[in-house]
PDB file of all heavy atoms in Angstrom:
ATOM      1  N   THR F 569      15.459 -19.845 -11.921  1.00 98.00           N
ATOM      2  CA  THR F 569      15.622 -19.334 -10.490  1.00 98.00           C
ATOM      3  C   THR F 569      15.678 -17.883 -10.324  1.00 98.00           C
ATOM      4  O   THR F 569      15.895 -17.144 -11.379  1.00 98.00           O
ATOM      5  CB  THR F 569      16.979 -19.887  -9.895  1.00 98.00           C
ATOM      6  OG1 THR F 569      17.965 -19.583 -10.770  1.00 98.00           O
ATOM      7  CG2 THR F 569      16.883 -21.434  -9.802  1.00 98.00           C
ATOM      8  N   PHE F 570      15.320 -17.419  -9.194  1.00 98.00           N
ATOM      9  CA  PHE F 570      15.200 -15.950  -8.959  1.00 98.00           C
ATOM     10  C   PHE F 570      15.908 -15.568  -7.777  1.00 98.00           C
ATOM     11  O   PHE F 570      15.988 -16.231  -6.674  1.00 98.00           O
ATOM     12  CB  PHE F 570      13.662 -15.582  -8.761  1.00 98.00           C
ATOM     13  CG  PHE F 570      12.800 -15.770 -10.077  1.00 98.00           C
ATOM     14  CD1 PHE F 570      12.028 -16.920  -9.987  1.00 98.00           C
ATOM     15  CD2 PHE F 570      12.809 -15.013 -11.102  1.00 98.00           C
ATOM     16  CE1 PHE F 570      11.292 -17.284 -11.122  1.00 98.00           C
ATOM     17  CE2 PHE F 570      12.034 -15.317 -12.228  1.00 98.00           C
ATOM     18  CZ  PHE F 570      11.268 -16.379 -12.186  1.00 98.00           C
ATOM     19  N   ALA F 571      16.610 -14.542  -7.803  1.00 98.00           N
ATOM     20  CA  ALA F 571      17.501 -13.987  -6.680  1.00 98.00           C
ATOM     21  C   ALA F 571      16.709 -12.597  -6.269  1.00 98.00           C
ATOM     22  O   ALA F 571      16.405 -11.756  -7.135  1.00 98.00           O
ATOM     23  CB  ALA F 571      18.882 -13.736  -7.006  1.00 98.00           C
ATOM     24  N   TYR F 572      16.718 -12.357  -4.972  1.00 98.00           N
ATOM     25  CA  TYR F 572      16.104 -11.099  -4.533  1.00 98.00           C
ATOM     26  C   TYR F 572      17.235 -10.135  -3.944  1.00 98.00           C
ATOM     27  O   TYR F 572      18.143 -10.743  -3.275  1.00 98.00           O
ATOM     28  CB  TYR F 572      15.103 -11.419  -3.439  1.00 98.00           C
ATOM     29  CG  TYR F 572      13.734 -12.159  -3.775  1.00 98.00           C
ATOM     30  CD1 TYR F 572      13.649 -13.170  -4.553  1.00 98.00           C
ATOM     31  CD2 TYR F 572      12.617 -11.482  -3.327  1.00 98.00           C
ATOM     32  CE1 TYR F 572      12.545 -13.752  -4.909  1.00 98.00           C
ATOM     33  CE2 TYR F 572      11.359 -12.099  -3.705  1.00 98.00           C
ATOM     34  CZ  TYR F 572      11.341 -13.276  -4.378  1.00 98.00           C
ATOM     35  OH  TYR F 572      10.160 -13.932  -4.778  1.00 98.00           O
ATOM     36  N   GLY F 573      17.132  -9.018  -4.183  1.00 98.00           N
ATOM     37  CA  GLY F 573      18.060  -8.007  -3.588  1.00 98.00           C
ATOM     38  C   GLY F 573      17.430  -7.502  -2.194  1.00 98.00           C
ATOM     39  O   GLY F 573      16.600  -8.126  -1.663  1.00 98.00           O
ATOM     40  N   ASP F 574      18.060  -6.449  -1.775  1.00 98.00           N
ATOM     41  CA  ASP F 574      17.678  -5.800  -0.461  1.00 98.00           C
ATOM     42  C   ASP F 574      16.449  -5.105  -0.596  1.00 98.00           C
ATOM     43  O   ASP F 574      16.315  -4.190  -1.454  1.00 98.00           O
ATOM     44  CB  ASP F 574      18.793  -4.970   0.072  1.00 98.00           C
ATOM     45  CG  ASP F 574      20.019  -5.699   0.466  1.00 98.00           C
ATOM     46  OD1 ASP F 574      19.845  -6.961   0.762  1.00 98.00           O
ATOM     47  OD2 ASP F 574      21.075  -5.157   0.507  1.00 98.00           O
ATOM     48  N   ALA F 575      15.361  -5.305   0.206  1.00 98.00           N
ATOM     49  CA  ALA F 575      14.224  -4.565   0.051  1.00 98.00           C
ATOM     50  C   ALA F 575      14.199  -3.297   0.837  1.00 98.00           C
ATOM     51  O   ALA F 575      15.078  -3.095   1.746  1.00 98.00           O
ATOM     52  CB  ALA F 575      13.049  -5.454   0.727  1.00 98.00           C
ATOM     53  N   SER F 576      13.378  -2.373   0.441  1.00 98.00           N
ATOM     54  CA  SER F 576      13.266  -1.035   1.179  1.00 98.00           C
ATOM     55  C   SER F 576      11.769  -0.768   1.257  1.00 98.00           C
ATOM     56  O   SER F 576      10.976  -1.358   0.566  1.00 98.00           O
ATOM     57  CB  SER F 576      13.980   0.039   0.380  1.00 98.00           C
ATOM     58  OG  SER F 576      13.342   0.257  -0.927  1.00 98.00           O
ATOM     59  N   ALA F 577      11.471   0.014   2.250  1.00 98.00           N
ATOM     60  CA  ALA F 577      10.096   0.313   2.581  1.00 98.00           C
ATOM     61  C   ALA F 577       9.918   1.786   2.990  1.00 98.00           C
ATOM     62  O   ALA F 577      10.748   2.324   3.675  1.00 98.00           O
ATOM     63  CB  ALA F 577       9.475  -0.587   3.632  1.00 98.00           C
ATOM     64  N   SER F 578       8.828   2.337   2.525  1.00 97.00           N
ATOM     65  CA  SER F 578       8.519   3.791   2.918  1.00 97.00           C
ATOM     66  C   SER F 578       7.069   3.939   3.094  1.00 97.00           C
ATOM     67  O   SER F 578       6.195   3.210   2.570  1.00 97.00           O
ATOM     68  CB  SER F 578       8.969   4.763   1.862  1.00 97.00           C
ATOM     69  OG  SER F 578       8.410   4.538   0.642  1.00 97.00           O
ATOM     70  N   VAL F 579       6.718   4.903   3.934  1.00 97.00           N
ATOM     71  CA  VAL F 579       5.311   5.146   4.266  1.00 97.00           C
ATOM     72  C   VAL F 579       4.804   6.336   3.386  1.00 97.00           C
ATOM     73  O   VAL F 579       5.445   7.453   3.563  1.00 97.00           O
ATOM     74  CB  VAL F 579       5.102   5.373   5.752  1.00 97.00           C
ATOM     75  CG1 VAL F 579       3.625   5.626   6.064  1.00 97.00           C
ATOM     76  CG2 VAL F 579       5.530   4.159   6.525  1.00 97.00           C
TER      77      VAL F 579
END
Side-chain angles (χ1 to χ4, degrees):
T569 52
F570 300 96
Y572 290 51
D574 293 332
S576 62
S578 61
V579 181

